[in-house]
Amino acid sequence: MNTGELSKLATEQINKDTTNIDSVSTLEMIEMINKEDKKVAEAVEKEKENIAKAVDAIAERLRRGGRLIYVGAGTSGRIGILDASECPPTYGVSDELVQGIIAGGNTAIFKAVEGAEDNKELGAKEISKKNLSNLDVVCGIAASGRTPYVIGAMEYGKKVGARVLSVTMSPNSEMANIAHIPITVLVGPEAVTGSTRMKCGTAQKMVLNMLSTGTMIKLGKVYNNLMVDVQTSNEKLVARAKRILKLTTDADDITIDKVLRATNNDVKLSIVVIKTDLEINKAKELLHKNCGYVKKCIV
């Protein structure tokens, strides 16, 4: 990309409110950045309808055995991997259900791999290794909306019948034109020109949080606003499991400990056992019948 093309990107525009950011006091510098950050949530709000459509599309595919696969380069790729990696401990899902692919592979998570994002064919090749089907969802992430690696992966996904989404910060981007559901969050110029790890990265994090969290809620992984499929993999999470049971059933500590042991720390199953007084196998059947939705089991 030459300098003329670069200057046309929304993500490369000069922020007129921060042109003196290098000569003000430290407090004024932080105030400038904070003022820009405040704009992000409002920009995301303007895309709420497309985000909701994307959540419905993801949930529908995942119910039928599909997967959500994020694809990005640099900051965008790292944010996708972060969101994917936090789904298993939070919602008790397989680490195959939500995945992240970054240009340059695992090395690029920690250190930039030069040139990887410019290879469109490599993007298609890497995602083809996932054995995509028409049950899967591919979500391309790039602030500019033009990253070749991501475009290659999105085009391959579309070719095999996967549902394709995009999360970008530039209007009328190539990625948005490819996607079945484009999410375009216009956060405006960065406080430091072109540093898309700032507002763009924050917007991407917010959108991906909505996509994964919204999907997990639709899949019955949340009861009221509690994560009832949490994995008790450390002391903090064991304590959280007990607290969730206390909040939802008001049972005494002895009962909570007893039921958690009997269900092998399955919080959702424990809630149904305590609330319905059913045997564990019967409670499992009830949950299965109601697709994992606790509320439908206890009404």
Side-chain angles (χ1 to χ4, degrees):
M1 176 181 283
N2 59 44
T3 55
E5 291 174 319
L6 190 68
S7 66
K8 294 177 183 178
L9 291 176
T11 53
E12 295 292 332
Q13 300 307 302
I14 301 293
N15 191 323
K16 295 179 181 179
D17 294 330
T18 62
T19 53
N20 63 335
I21 198 169
D22 63 335
S23 57
V24 298
S25 71
T26 304
L27 178 58
E28 289 173 309
M29 178 200 309
I30 298 306
E31 287 174 341
M32 285 182 180
I33 295 172
N34 182 234
K35 184 178 179 181
E36 293 302 315
D37 286 343
K38 289 177 182 178
K39 300 174 183 179
V40 177
E42 291 183 356
V44 171
E45 182 182 13
K46 292 177 181 178
E47 280 295 286
K48 61 187 178 184
E49 290 185 5
N50 283 334
I51 296 170
K53 289 177 184 176
V55 168
D56 284 337
I58 297 167
E60 187 272 331
R61 299 283 173 123
L62 266 56
R63 279 194 200 99
R64 295 192 287 132
R67 301 163 296 172
L68 169 60
I69 301 175
Y70 296 126
V71 186
T75 297
S76 302
R78 295 181 191 105
I79 289 173
I81 288 171
L82 173 64
D83 195 76
S85 65
E86 290 179 343
C87 287
T90 307
Y91 296 110
V93 298
S94 162
D95 57 10
E96 295 290 316
L97 191 70
V98 184
Q99 302 180 36
I101 298 175
I102 184 170
N106 289 343
T107 300
I109 299 172
F110 305 100
K111 184 178 180 181
V113 177
E114 301 300 333
E117 68 178 65
D118 298 327
N119 194 324
K120 185 176 177 180
E121 290 73 24
L122 184 60
K125 180 181 178 181
E126 288 301 313
I127 202 165
S128 71
K129 296 176 182 178
K130 298 292 183 181
N131 296 317
L132 282 186
S133 78
N134 59 4
L135 293 179
D136 294 320
V137 179
V138 176
C139 179
I141 315 162
S144 67
R146 59 162 303 282
T147 305
Y149 181 93
V150 180
I151 289 171
M154 291 173 65
E155 288 179 341
Y156 182 86
K158 207 168 185 181
K159 180 180 177 181
V160 301
R163 198 69 172 165
V164 177
L165 319 175
S166 66
V167 178
T168 64
M169 284 72 216
S170 295
N172 306 313
S173 70
E174 186 174 353
M175 282 172 53
N177 290 331
I178 294 169
H180 295 110
I181 305 173
I183 298 168
T184 306
V185 184
L186 303 180
V187 297
E190 297 286 6
V192 175
T193 305
S195 182
T196 53
R197 71 187 186 92
M198 299 181 78
K199 287 193 296 185
C200 289
T202 301
Q204 290 170 349
K205 179 70 163 63
M206 291 176 73
V207 171
L208 266 56
N209 277 171
M210 290 178 176
L211 294 181
S212 58
T213 302
T215 297
M216 295 304 161
I217 292 170
K218 300 284 284 186
L219 295 178
K221 301 291 182 180
V222 173
Y223 170 52
N224 293 338
N225 62 352
L226 301 168
M227 41 183 157
V228 290
D229 271 324
V230 63
Q231 290 185 343
T232 53
S233 54
N234 60 42
E235 289 184 8
K236 181 190 77 172
L237 296 177
V238 170
R240 177 174 289 161
K242 292 179 179 180
R243 183 169 181 267
I244 289 172
L245 279 174
K246 188 70 174 178
L247 289 169
T248 55
T249 69
D250 200 31
D252 59 75
D253 292 345
I254 293 174
T255 299
I256 288 171
D257 287 341
K258 179 183 177 182
V259 175
L260 274 175
R261 283 196 302 271
T263 62
N264 196 27
N265 287 333
D266 187 322
V267 177
K268 180 187 286 185
L269 179 59
S270 296
I271 293 172
V272 176
V273 168
I274 294 173
K275 296 280 276 186
T276 64
D277 204 27
L278 289 170
E279 294 179 353
I280 289 176
N281 287 337
K282 292 292 184 182
K284 282 182 180 178
E285 291 175 9
L286 186 62
L287 270 170
H288 180 73
K289 179 181 177 181
N290 288 287
C291 300
Y293 287 90
V294 173
K295 275 186 178 171
K296 292 181 180 181
C297 294
I298 62 179
V299 292

